[in-house]
Every structure is written in structure tokens, then in C-alpha cells.
Amino acid sequence: MDEDHKIGSIMMTSGAEAATAWRTPGLVRDSQWDAIRTGLPYLLAFGTAIGRASLVAKLIKSHLPVEEYWYLHYAGCHSNHRSKGFGGAAIRAGLEQADAARCKAYLETADENNIPIYRALGFHIMHSWQVPDGPQFWGMMRGPR
């Protein structure tokens, strides 16, 4: 998420109940240098699961759309504040930027329970894919408003 504030924006509710990290159009994919530079922190975070994490990252990257869009890279809500609208508020703040630029917004989720939430925000399912011996992912796009 550290990279996202440099090439996009971080949106957070006033009490830090929820936050989203957005990447701006044209800066969605990490460069080769970014992959090298961030490799050690990822290795430290994932340890022996680094191969699995690398596979998931590669699959996500291979399913990213080619057109221009704002990318919801991360979204999170503190467990004490879920189902209270904070996550939606943080996402809507990023969508306002996409809409102001008359640009689409894209995200992926591996939690099927999130699909109705994203649909309520105007996203539709573009595609889905399965991680071998792992979760299913759904790629979702929203047109500008």
C-alpha cells in the first residue's frame, strides 16, 4: 500500500475505520524496478508462502484490463466497524476521483460476499478466474458517472 500513495491516492474515513488505496490510470501495473525494489518486504511478509503469493499476484496482473481506469488496489475496514457504511464511504471517495476524471474504476475480489456491496456501488462482473487449489476471483468494472 506504500506505493499507492505515490502513484494514486489513499482514502480514509475520518476516524480511520476504513481505508482504500487507489492507483491512477496508466500507473496500475508495477514496473520491473518496483517488483525488484519491493521484493524483500514481500519475502519477509510471506515467508515460505512467497511462491504462492507470487502466483496470485501474477494471475491478478494477467487479468487486469487494458483500458484506462482507476484501480481499487486495496480496501479494508476495521472489524469493529464492518457493516456500518465505513467501507462504502472510503470506496465512494475514490470513485468521486474516477468520476471527476470521467474514468472507469476496476477492482477484484476473492470474497463472494463482497460482490453485492460492489454492485450497489455500480460495479459489474467483467470476468472471474480460479487460483489453482485456491480461491476464485472476480474482476469488476464501473463506468464513470
Side-chain angles (χ1 to χ4, degrees):
M1 194 156 100
D2 186 46
E3 295 302 305
D4 295 301
H5 88 285
K6 296 175 186 172
I7 58 174
S9 59
I10 306 293
M11 301 295 177
M12 189 180 314
T13 56
S14 61
E17 299 88 355
T20 55
W22 293 83
R23 291 191 174 189
T24 58
L27 297 174
V28 170
R29 290 172 171 79
D30 289 330
S31 70
Q32 193 69 14
W33 170 245
D34 291 331
I36 293 167
R37 190 173 46 75
T38 59
L40 181 60
Y42 283 125
L43 179 60
L44 295 172
F46 290 107
T48 59
I50 190 68
R52 184 90 174 133
S54 179
L55 170 65
V56 172
K58 185 177 180 179
L59 286 169
I60 288 172
K61 188 175 183 178
S62 74
H63 287 90
L64 291 173
V66 263
E67 64 221 71
E68 295 285 306
Y69 54 89
W70 277 79
Y71 177 43
L72 177 55
H73 196 215
Y74 294 108
C77 187
H78 189 281
S79 58
N80 293 342
H81 299 289
R82 290 195 181 129
S83 300
K84 297 178 182 176
F86 292 109
I91 293 169
R92 281 190 295 279
L95 291 174
E96 287 175 10
Q97 288 185 316
D99 291 344
R102 303 285 306 143
C103 196
K104 295 178 180 181
Y106 176 81
L107 62 84
E108 68 270 323
T109 183
D111 186 344
E112 192 170 9
N113 294 320
N114 288 339
I115 292 173
I117 297 166
Y118 295 132
R119 280 192 169 139
L121 292 166
F123 287 89
H124 67 275
I125 295 173
M126 283 185 61
H127 51 245
S128 66
W129 69 96
Q130 186 81 35
V131 175
D133 298 318
Q136 180 172 356
F137 275 76
W138 292 267
M140 303 182 75
M141 185 73 80
R142 176 189 181 271
R145 304 279 165 94

